[in-house]
Amino acid sequence: MYYPRLKDLREDKDLMQKEIAEILGIDQRVYSNYETGKREIPTRLLIILADFYNTTTDYILGRSNKPN
């Protein structure tokens, strides 16, 4: 699965992949694989990202166009 909104949300906050990876407690390369869809995002991390970006998991997954 490809997660284009992850990159958009990150860039909207002017953050680097490394900074988000540190928040999640993972390596930057692993996070990069989430943004490009090479790896599925574990539910636990998806929830952390949704909380961090103040949005919903459905928005990140592309299941909704409403960020809140």
Side-chain angles (χ1 to χ4, degrees), residues 17-32 34 42 44-45 49:
Q17 286 184 350
K18 182 177 181 180
E19 294 169 296
I20 299 300
E22 288 173 2
I23 290 166
L24 298 175
I26 60 175
D27 189 82
Q28 179 270 328
R29 291 171 292 196
V30 173
Y31 179 77
S32 176
Y34 296 151
R44 173 181 67 83
L45 298 182
L49 288 168

Side-chain angles (χ1 to χ4, degrees), residues 36-47:
T36 60
K38 293 179 183 172
R39 291 183 71 166
E40 294 273 335
I41 302 172
T43 304
R44 173 181 67 83
L45 298 182
L46 181 62
I47 292 167

